[in-house]
Each structure stands twice: as C-alpha cells, then as structure tokens.
Amino acid sequence: MDDQTVQQRRHELRKAVIELRARGLNAPAKWAAEQLTGLPNEGADESKLATTGNADETENDIYLLAKSYFDLKEYRRVAHVLRGSSGNKANFLRCYSLYLAGEKRKEEERVENSGPLGKQDINNKDLETVENELSAARQNGTADSFALYLYGLVLIDKEQKAEAQACLLESVTAFPCNWGAWQALQVLYSEREVGGEVGLPRHWMRDFFLASLCLEVQENQEGLSRLQTLSQQFPESDWIVAQAAVAQYNLRNFDDAQELFEDLIERDPHRVEGMDTHSNILYVKENFPALSHLAHRTAATDKYRPETCCIIGNYYSLKAQHEKAVMYFRRALKLDRHYLSAWTLMGHEYVEMKNTSAAIEAYRRAVELNPRDYRAWYGLGQTYELLRMPFYALYYFRRATQLRPHDARMWCAMGQCYENDQLQSVDKDKMEVAAIRCYRRAVQNGDREGIALHKLAKLHQARNETLEAAHYFKMNLERIEAENISGSDQLDALIYLAEYAKATGNLTEAESYCLQLLDYGAPSKEKAKSLLREIRSLQRHQRSAAPAEAGTRASTGAFTTPVPMPLNALVHHQQEAGSPNSDADVSPMSGTS
C-alpha cells in the first residue's frame, strides 16, 4: 500500500473517530481508533504523540485511541497507551485514568470484603504514583490547571486539606470555568470564609461558587440574594432555579420551593436531577397524588437513578410502608454509595421501624460523607433520646444547632433534652435554665409549631416564676387564636391565665378566660365554674367594700393603687436586670458528650 493510500485512510479514520465520539458512539469510535494506530508508520511521525504542551494542538492518533478507551472506562488501557507521553493533555488523561482505575479497584475490594453498603476502609493503591508525578510537575512548573485540579483531589483523599485548598485555588485561577474544581474547593471552605472570599480569583465563576457555598453552610438568605443577582445575568439557567428551590426548601418555604421545582419540570419534563428534594417537599406536605406522579415520571425517565429510587422510597414512606421504603433507599445506595440523602432518609425509616442500631449506622455514614448534614446530626440526637441516652443526644443536638442556628426545631429538641430526668438529676436548676434559653432561641427564630412557647410557660410555672409563666401562656394563647386551632395547650393557657388574673386582682380578665373555658368539656368546664364562683364572690366583696374605701381616701387624701407595669414590659425589664432567661450561654455543662 503506497503512502498516498495510507494518508488517505489515516485522514478518513481520524475524521471517523471525531465524528463518532461527537455523537456518543464510543464503541465504534474505539474500533476506528484502533485501526488508525494500526496503519504503517512510514513517514507518519504525526502518529506519534506530540511532545509540546500546546493546548490547541490537533489530537493525534494515539491520544484519540486513549480517549476512546477512556470513554468506555478502560482506564488501565488508557494509562498503558499513554505511557511515556509528555503533552499536558496526555499527561492529565494518563494520571486521571490511573486515579480512576485505583478508585474503581478500591470499590471492588470494598464490595468483596464487606458488601455493597459496607464501610470504606480500603485505600486507592494508585494514589501514591499519581501524587508523586503531579507533585513533581507542580514543583517544576509544568502542571497546568487540570493537573492541579487532579492533584487537589488526590490531596483531599490523603486529608492534606490546606495543601489541597492552595492547589485548587491555583487551578481555578488558571482555568476558572472548571466547575468540578470549584465543587472540590467548596468542601474545604467553612462558613467563616463565605463573606471574606478568601483567595478566590476575580472572575464571574466566583459568584456561582459563593452562591453554592452559602447553601452548603446554611446561609440560605445570602445564597438566595446571590442567586437573584446571577439570574439577571443567566436568565435561562436551570441550575440557578434548582439552587433557588433548594434554598427555599432549606428555609422551609415549601410552597415557593415547590413552585420553582414545578417550573423546572415544565422546562424539562425528563429532568431527574434535584427531584429528590422536590419529593421531600411533597412528603412534608403529604401530597400523595403529586408524589405518586413524580415517582412514575422519574421511573419512566430513568428507573435506575439514585434520585428515582429515593423518590419512590419517599412515596412508600408516606404510605407507612417502611420496609419497602428502606428497600428503595438501599437500592439508591447500591447505585451510588456516596448519595447522602439516601443514608439520612434510610436512618429516618429505621427510627420509624424502631431499629435504632441500624438508624445510628445510617446517620453515622451520612455525617462521614458530609459533616455539614444537620439532618443526620439531628437524627442521631433523636435516636439516642429513644435509647434514653440524653448525654449523647445532647451532643448531637448541639452539633445540629451549630449547623442550623436559625432553625427553631433544633433548639426545641435541645431544650427537651435538657428537661430529661437524667440530666435534671445532675443539676436541676442549671438544666432548667439551659432549657429556657434554648426555648427562647426557638421563639426568636420563629417556632411555627408553638412548642417553645408552651414549654417556656410550663417551665416558668414549675419554677414559680408566675409573671414569666403568664407572659408565655398569653403569647401562646394569642398564637393559638390567630391560627384558629385548639388543644390541650389552649386549655392549660386559659386555666393558668384565669388563676393568674384572679390572683393579681384582674377579675374582669379572669372572668373572660373562664367563660372561654366553659366551651370545653370536663374537667376544664368544672374548673371554670369553680373559678367563676370565686371571681364573682370577690367582685361582690369589692363592690361592697368600695364605698367605705372611697370615704377613707376622701378623708386622708391617699392616692389610688399605682397601675402595674404592662406584662410584656415587666418581663423584659426583669430579663434586662439579670434574669436567668438571658441568652448568654445555652449550655451549663462544658464538654458534655
């Protein structure tokens, strides 16, 4: 075969590889690349890998073959084909393939040793080789942004976080549009660094990173503000809409979040990404038809996506079929054992099934994957409460409040933990004061269920702090009346406020509370009748005593009884003066775990 024929076939095969890969036909592309490298090399130096690091150079034949192997996940073959290469693209692909081959083998060994959901205690045996090569490239200045990104991933795996952060910052500075590098960097940033934008390049990609980081560290209001700004620059971005929906979900604005997710589905009916969060909203709202429709839609799109399995698990959980829910959450984890939501939700299901040991294991796996997952910390606290181990529960609730300081549920849970008999036996007064502080934080952060107000009232009542107890009972009663609900909390508030008003001489107010109590059944009705008899007896006594008292005042010139300070103002005044209700510290026990 003459040189002209060889060159013609080389050109044709080279074009075929590019066209086939562009259309996702990876297996035919691999076959064409193998035939391309099988042509004779006479006068064909171009089939050898270029030694320059020029990013714009035309892909050569050996690199095309290696990339075809990579697309089919034959990572060892990629590393073998590219051995001895020196171009930046080829070096990155070879090192990245070695890294992925090691990760793949690590996963296989873990499954062989401990099953598909077993703990990961096996290391990537290729990390050392990849690290040595990338470290040398960085030191001699030949590492490009992609090599630095891969080096950052390796350093994260080796838990060298400071070095990894520096490396990833170099990577995003050199090539800002690599979102994978930004995501890796996000794991290394803390909430203290959100406002400071420490070391980040001055590039528009930084705004995406900071918006995502705000959501990760539960600074949801700031995250929404940043997403709003980005939406003006990228008005058609589905990613921005999805992140805004997650932020609204984190803020418990479920209606707004659901509306945003429905907008996403209207744009892309086959979208699965992020729909697990949508299913959580439908679960909380107990919307059976919508959750069923979402489960059917995602199953028809891709039955074996972790998100789909999670949505179906939520559907069965809402139907109280907890065993089936666990089965689907486990299926999601078999597809992706790093899928955080499935570990947490599976823990919730095990709690419902009273399988506390399995619940603890699931929650622990979740916090190992992401220590910022407040739901898993909260779940651990609830599980240890069920086990009557309040010291452990208190530790986990405290971690949850640190991650979600503006979530009233976290403060209510910690307050209830301080009321536990075992903790009260250590120092009853200090524990009650700590519980009061927790409940007050819950009230300040918009306790929607009204748990904190009732708890505060009962605690102050038990401590004979009548003014504070009346204050919180009245606040709770106003909340109940505004929401047009009823229950035992309302009865407790009416009885206490009636007795308090009677004791302080506000007989008209006391009578009003008793008349409301008459609408309820026994024993509150009988209690109200008894109080009314006492109140009316006191009213008759006051009326009979009034003429004599008026004559005494007229003869002596005495002033009338001073008007008492309003209840809200008096409570605030006492707290300012150093009441134990101050929020200086919610923990009376340092280092309790």
Side-chain angles (χ1 to χ4, degrees):
M1 189 165 54
D2 58 31
D3 288 347
Q4 185 177 358
T5 303
V6 170
Q7 292 300 328
Q8 181 183 354
R9 292 182 181 180
R10 176 173 285 109
H11 175 75
E12 192 173 354
L13 284 168
R14 192 176 285 153
K15 183 179 178 182
V17 173
I18 295 171
E19 293 290 336
L20 289 165
R21 270 178 45 201
R23 288 161 177 76
L25 299 172
N26 294 327
K30 168 191 166 184
W31 183 90
E34 286 177 336
Q35 307 322 306
L36 175 61
T37 57
L39 287 168
N41 292 330
E42 288 84 359
D45 289 342
E46 58 205 347
S47 69
K48 297 292 183 182
L49 201 59
T51 57
T52 64
N54 186 357
D56 297 326
E57 67 185 8
T58 304
E59 286 187 324
N60 54 70
D61 300 345
I62 295 178
Y63 185 84
L64 285 175
L65 177 60
K67 185 62 175 65
S68 298
Y69 287 150
F70 185 88
D71 292 339
L72 292 170
K73 300 184 179 181
E74 299 183 33
Y75 303 125
R76 297 285 179 193
R77 297 186 78 181
V78 176
H80 176 74
V81 167
L82 294 176
R83 67 193 185 282
S85 61
S86 56
N88 280 341
K89 277 200 300 184
N91 276 338
F92 172 80
L93 190 62
R94 180 171 51 80
C95 290
Y96 190 42
S97 297
L98 270 177
Y99 174 78
L100 291 178
E103 289 294 301
K104 184 178 179 182
R105 183 56 194 153
K106 180 177 75 173
E107 186 69 14
E108 290 168 352
E109 289 182 13
R110 184 191 56 76
V111 172
E112 290 166 5
N113 295 339
S114 55
L117 302 183
K119 282 195 173 182
Q120 180 176 325
D121 52 2
I122 300 167
N123 297 321
N124 183 337
K125 295 176 181 177
D126 291 290
L127 273 186
E128 204 70 37
T129 303
V130 177
E131 182 188 13
N132 291 338
E133 185 163 342
L134 292 173
S135 176
R138 187 188 182 202
Q139 287 174 6
N140 60 34
T142 60
D144 64 2
S145 64
F146 301 101
L148 290 168
Y149 162 56
L150 180 55
Y151 189 32
L153 295 182
V154 171
L155 292 171
I156 288 174
D157 280 354
K158 294 178 74 70
E159 298 187 355
Q160 298 177 23
K161 295 186 177 180
E163 188 71 15
Q165 183 171 335
C167 208
L168 289 166
L169 280 171
E170 289 180 37
S171 175
V172 296
T173 301
F175 189 85
C177 289
N178 180 4
W179 181 242
W182 289 104
Q183 286 181 305
L185 194 60
Q186 182 173 285
V187 177
L188 305 172
Y189 267 65
S190 69
E191 58 274 15
R192 294 185 300 276
E193 295 168 316
V194 174
E197 305 179 15
V198 180
L200 299 178
R202 295 290 171 181
H203 189 273
W204 54 265
M205 280 293 291
R206 179 193 58 189
D207 298 327
F208 280 92
F209 169 73
L210 290 172
S212 180
L213 180 60
C214 284
L215 268 58
E216 178 70 15
V217 299
Q218 299 298 321
E219 295 289 343
N220 294 292
Q221 288 290 1
E222 184 181 346
L224 274 175
S225 176
R226 291 181 180 276
L227 289 168
Q228 182 66 33
T229 303
L230 283 169
S231 68
Q232 296 169 6
Q233 304 167 31
F234 297 86
E236 301 300 319
S237 170
D238 286 354
W239 182 88
I240 293 173
V241 176
Q243 293 299 103
V246 171
Q248 295 288 8
Y249 168 70
N250 290 340
L251 291 168
R252 306 192 74 207
N253 298 329
F254 297 133
D255 291 338
D256 293 337
Q258 184 176 351
E259 186 178 340
L260 288 168
F261 276 120
E262 287 171 354
D263 181 41
L264 277 175
I265 293 170
E266 189 175 340
R267 293 189 192 193
D268 182 2
H270 302 289
R271 183 185 179 95
V272 177
E273 183 184 358
M275 290 298 111
D276 50 340
T277 305
H278 186 199
S279 76
N280 291 342
I281 294 167
L282 299 176
Y283 178 92
V284 171
K285 296 177 75 172
E286 298 185 1
N287 192 335
F288 278 97
L291 184 53
S292 174
H293 177 73
L294 180 64
H296 280 93
R297 185 183 65 78
T298 51
T301 300
D302 192 342
K303 186 176 181 180
Y304 295 105
R305 278 279 290 272
E307 293 92 337
T308 301
C309 296
C310 192
I311 292 165
I312 297 172
N314 271 338
Y315 171 74
Y316 282 116
S317 178
L318 191 57
K319 293 182 71 177
Q321 297 181 22
H322 301 298
E323 292 82 1
K324 273 194 172 182
V326 167
M327 180 183 76
Y328 276 96
F329 292 138
R330 290 180 68 86
R331 182 177 294 178
L333 290 167
K334 287 178 181 177
L335 294 167
D336 180 5
R337 60 186 299 274
H338 299 292
Y339 185 47
L340 179 65
S341 293
W343 285 114
T344 305
L345 292 172
M346 190 163 70
H348 296 342
E349 294 307 304
Y350 280 130
V351 170
E352 292 291 333
M353 295 163 65
K354 301 295 187 290
N355 188 346
T356 52
S357 59
I360 288 170
E361 176 64 17
Y363 289 136
R364 287 192 186 281
R365 298 294 290 280
V367 297
E368 284 173 10
L369 283 174
N370 184 1
R372 293 170 177 164
D373 181 19
Y374 76 92
R375 296 176 185 86
W377 291 111
Y378 180 69
L380 281 167
Q382 287 184 312
T383 308
Y384 277 105
E385 257 194 331
L386 288 174
L387 292 171
R388 298 182 182 178
M389 300 172 71
F391 291 95
Y392 285 93
L394 182 61
Y395 169 78
Y396 293 118
F397 285 139
R398 198 175 289 162
R399 291 295 299 267
T401 57
Q402 289 168 359
L403 292 166
R404 290 272 290 189
H406 305 299
D407 193 328
R409 296 170 299 165
M410 307 298 115
W411 290 109
C412 284
M414 195 156 83
Q416 289 171 335
C417 196
Y418 276 123
E419 290 189 81
N420 185 277
D421 290 339
Q422 290 184 44
L423 289 179
Q424 297 266 317
S425 65
V426 176
D427 190 325
K428 190 174 190 295
D429 183 65
K430 284 186 177 180
M431 295 303 163
E432 285 180 345
V433 170
I436 286 170
R437 290 171 178 166
C438 289
Y439 290 132
R440 290 188 68 221
R441 288 290 296 272
V443 172
Q444 291 166 11
N445 287 290
D447 177 30
R448 299 183 184 181
E449 290 80 13
I451 295 171
L453 286 172
H454 184 69
K455 288 284 189 179
L456 279 167
K458 297 296 283 184
L459 273 169
H460 284 299
Q461 181 183 9
R463 291 167 63 85
N464 293 319
E465 295 166 353
T466 55
L467 184 62
E468 291 87 348
H471 170 68
Y472 288 112
F473 271 126
K474 190 168 185 178
M475 284 181 67
N476 199 32
L477 185 61
E478 289 170 353
R479 178 194 64 84
I480 290 168
E481 290 173 348
E483 296 176 6
N484 196 25
I485 57 177
S486 60
S488 60
D489 288 5
Q490 186 177 22
L491 294 177
D492 288 344
L494 288 169
I495 291 170
Y496 186 86
L497 288 170
E499 291 179 337
Y500 177 79
K502 178 176 76 72
T504 54
N506 296 322
L507 299 182
T508 304
E509 188 178 344
E511 186 177 15
S512 170
Y513 291 131
C514 290
L515 290 173
Q516 292 181 61
L517 279 168
L518 289 175
D519 296 334
Y520 297 90
S524 58
K525 189 172 183 178
E526 296 304 318
K527 178 71 174 177
K529 288 179 179 178
S530 174
L531 281 171
L532 276 172
R533 286 193 291 270
E534 294 177 23
I535 290 165
R536 283 164 184 167
S537 173
L538 288 169
Q539 287 173 332
R540 285 193 298 271
H541 176 72
Q542 284 182 346
R543 283 195 294 270
S544 62
E549 186 178 345
T552 303
R553 286 175 181 165
S555 61
T556 62
F559 294 106
T560 56
T561 304
V563 177
M565 184 183 294
L567 182 59
N568 290 354
L570 186 54
V571 170
H572 178 71
H573 173 73
Q574 289 191 355
Q575 290 170 354
E576 294 260 335
S579 164
N581 294 326
S582 145
D583 268 342
D585 181 13
V586 297
S587 171
M589 301 160 59
S590 61
T592 302
S593 55

